[in-house]
Amino acid sequence: MGYWFRFCFFVLILLTSFALNGQKTIISGQITDHSTKEALPYVKIKFLNSKVGALSDNLGNYRLETYYATDTLVVVFPGYLPQKKVIKLDKEQVINFALSSGLKNLEEVTINAPAELSSTSLHKKLVANKKINNKEKLDAYQYDLYTKTQMDVNNLGDNFAKSKLIKNLSFLIDYMDTIDSNSYFLPVILNENYS
């Protein structure tokens, strides 16, 4: 009798702990605009400091059902102020949100076109200072000069790569470039100078 008593007691404690720890928190409700009372679709709602969340449907309705709830719900939607509400854990409840707009009314801004284009005013300044900036009147001046010269053999067909001469100089094929599938060119002279 002692064995059956201990076994039944153990099963009873086990079932009680599952019943206490296994309760879901179920929350549903609707999210609306505070001033217009219109439903807000696709609003993000989640438990604070948790990854458990959902989006409201087209009519602003939502439903969250989880074993891993925290005690606060957070609603976030662009253009609206975020809102938090405290909930009861392990219970089914209905919680509605009415979000207030987070947009501020801006005063009117008027943008006027300039009297003349910036390129025109720059050109006028260049012309006005032409005598001051004349390099022939300077004792010395300096500038950086970079030149690049490249000559290519163009319009090389498929037969060029197959010719006996090129087969012996196979490294040339690595330097061939193409504009399209039928037209190849081979750089012959490349000269760069920096002074």
Side-chain angles (χ1 to χ4, degrees), residues 24-101:
K24 276 188 180 180
T25 302
I26 301 171
I27 301 174
S28 59
Q30 188 179 36
I31 303 170
T32 57
D33 184 293
H34 179 70
S35 56
T36 65
K37 309 298 183 214
E38 291 181 8
L40 296 175
Y42 312 115
V43 177
K44 183 178 180 181
I45 183 164
K46 66 176 238 167
F47 290 102
L48 184 66
N49 299 325
S50 169
K51 293 183 180 179
V52 178
L55 292 176
S56 63
D57 64 10
N58 291 342
L59 302 174
N61 297 316
Y62 74 92
R63 182 176 173 87
L64 289 170
E65 192 171 325
T66 184
Y67 291 106
Y68 308 105
T70 60
D71 65 348
T72 306
L73 271 180
V74 180
V75 175
V76 179
F77 194 55
Y80 289 86
L81 296 173
Q83 198 174 99
K84 295 179 184 176
K85 285 194 179 180
V86 177
I87 61 153
K88 295 176 186 173
L89 294 175
D90 303 328
K91 304 277 184 196
E92 185 170 349
Q93 53 209 295
V94 176
I95 298 180
N96 296 318
F97 289 88
L99 300 183
S100 300
S101 176

Side-chain angles (χ1 to χ4, degrees), residues 116-135:
E116 61 183 17
L117 296 173
S118 57
S119 59
T120 306
S121 64
L122 176 63
H123 185 261
K124 286 181 180 178
K125 289 177 184 176
L126 287 172
V127 171
N129 293 301
K130 185 176 179 182
K131 291 180 181 177
I132 299 169
N133 295 324
N134 185 356
K135 63 183 179 184

